[in-house]
Amino acid sequence: MKKFFFLFVALSFIVRANAQTVGIGTTNPATSAALDVTSTSKGLLPPRMTLLQRNAISTPAQGLMVYDIDRIIGGEPEFFNGTIWKNMVGLDVSFYPIGYDYLGGKIAYILQPGDPGYIAGQYHGLIASASDQGIGAPWGCYGTDISGAEGTALGTGNQNTIDIVNGCSTAGIAARICNDLELGGYSDWYLPSKDELNKLFLNRVAIGGFINYYYWSSSEFDIFNAWHQYFLSGAQAYISKANSYYVRPVRAF
């Protein structure tokens, strides 16, 4: 009986040796198909993975198909055309665009060659919260030197924020609002540095939610002043830490 059982199971995967055709759920697979799956109650399930996992596939074959669970709400099927990844309507989905909902917020900037932290072939950058998290917050500790918070370049905002929180115990300051934030399942938000804040300004339309007013950076200028940016003109300047401005947290990915 066991032999007949295994023979029956084998016959459910019909292999036509000459045509090299495999049928699942059918004893008469189409000769033009390498694999013919027939069902009225089940579907074909491709591998499901995140964008980063998809991009980590080494030398994907032309026509390789996966289901990207990050792409849109619920995900979407994608294939590799030999050069780039595309979705089923032919759009380039190699990377997500600026302003896309991703990892707790909106993609605000994608690292470019020459940027600190840029790694060729990898996808990294900044995520901004979808809305302002502080609308009248001081930078804090006017007259106090916050050692380590003078970084202005891309990649320095997180350490600036840590140093501000550790060096200034005042409640409700811009850096602390970001440091204490839990949003979208993430708790590693920080106040952007001067250069990081400028990336938010340059991409403000795609990110959305900004107003034409002043936003704090985490970059200290001296014991009395810190850098801010005017989101109407884009002008950056240092001003009294006692002033109250808007706060837009970011996180790195």
Side-chain angles (χ1 to χ4, degrees), residues 186-226:
Y186 297 91
S187 58
D188 56 348
W189 300 93
Y190 61 88
L191 187 63
S193 68
K194 175 176 175 285
D195 290 355
E196 291 168 338
L197 183 61
N198 189 54
K199 298 301 183 185
L200 269 60
F201 169 76
L202 295 175
N203 295 320
R204 66 194 182 283
V205 174
I207 300 167
F210 294 100
I211 68 166
N212 295 327
Y213 200 62
Y214 299 98
Y215 285 80
W216 278 124
S217 84
S218 58
S219 303
E220 184 184 59
F221 181 77
D222 58 25
I223 64 173
F224 302 112
N225 302 284

Side-chain angles (χ1 to χ4, degrees), residues 29-45:
T31 58
S32 62
L35 174 64
D36 184 346
V37 181
T38 301
S39 177
T40 58
S41 60
K42 296 182 179 181
L44 182 66
L45 188 61

Side-chain angles (χ1 to χ4, degrees), residues 138-146 149-150 152 164 216-228 237-243 245:
W139 198 91
C141 287
Y142 178 85
T144 300
D145 176 40
I146 306 297
E150 67 279 356
T152 59
I164 295 168
W216 278 124
S217 84
S218 58
S219 303
E220 184 184 59
F221 181 77
D222 58 25
I223 64 173
F224 302 112
N225 302 284
W227 287 95
H228 74 301
Y238 55 86
I239 200 165
S240 171
K241 296 177 183 180
N243 285 357
Y245 293 142

Side-chain angles (χ1 to χ4, degrees), residues 17-212:
N18 293 334
Q20 294 296 304
T21 297
V22 176
I24 299 178
T26 177
T27 58
N28 187 32
T31 58
S32 62
L35 174 64
D36 184 346
V37 181
T38 301
S39 177
T40 58
S41 60
K42 296 182 179 181
L44 182 66
L45 188 61
R48 293 144 293 171
M49 60 188 68
T50 66
L51 172 70
L52 295 180
Q53 290 169 333
R54 187 207 69 185
N55 287 347
I57 296 174
S58 177
T59 59
Q62 185 176 11
L64 185 69
M65 183 180 293
V66 302
Y67 192 89
D68 184 348
I69 62 176
D70 278 339
R71 175 56 52 180
I72 57 177
I73 296 175
E76 70 175 9
E78 298 167 353
F79 69 94
F80 189 72
N81 74 349
T83 304
I84 61 173
W85 287 94
K86 291 194 171 188
N87 63 14
M88 295 299 110
V89 295
L91 296 178
D92 181 353
V93 291
S94 300
F95 297 113
Y96 292 124
I98 301 296
Y100 203 88
D101 291 331
Y102 189 58
L103 301 179
K106 302 276 188 178
I107 295 179
Y109 183 68
I110 299 169
L111 294 183
Q112 303 297 309
D115 286 340
Y118 172 80
I119 301 174
Q122 295 189 18
Y123 186 53
H124 300 290
L126 294 175
I127 302 290
S129 64
S131 61
D132 298 329
Q133 298 299 310
I135 60 174
W139 198 91
C141 287
Y142 178 85
T144 300
D145 176 40
I146 306 297
S147 179
E150 67 279 356
T152 59
L154 285 171
T156 62
N158 188 46
Q159 188 59 53
N160 286 347
T161 301
I162 292 171
D163 292 332
I164 295 168
V165 170
N166 289 338
C168 182
S169 60
T170 305
I173 59 173
R176 193 172 302 280
I177 289 172
C178 299
N179 183 77
D180 294 347
L181 181 64
E182 293 188 8
L183 182 67
Y186 297 91
S187 58
D188 56 348
W189 300 93
Y190 61 88
L191 187 63
S193 68
K194 175 176 175 285
D195 290 355
E196 291 168 338
L197 183 61
N198 189 54
K199 298 301 183 185
L200 269 60
F201 169 76
L202 295 175
N203 295 320
R204 66 194 182 283
V205 174
I207 300 167
F210 294 100
I211 68 166
N212 295 327

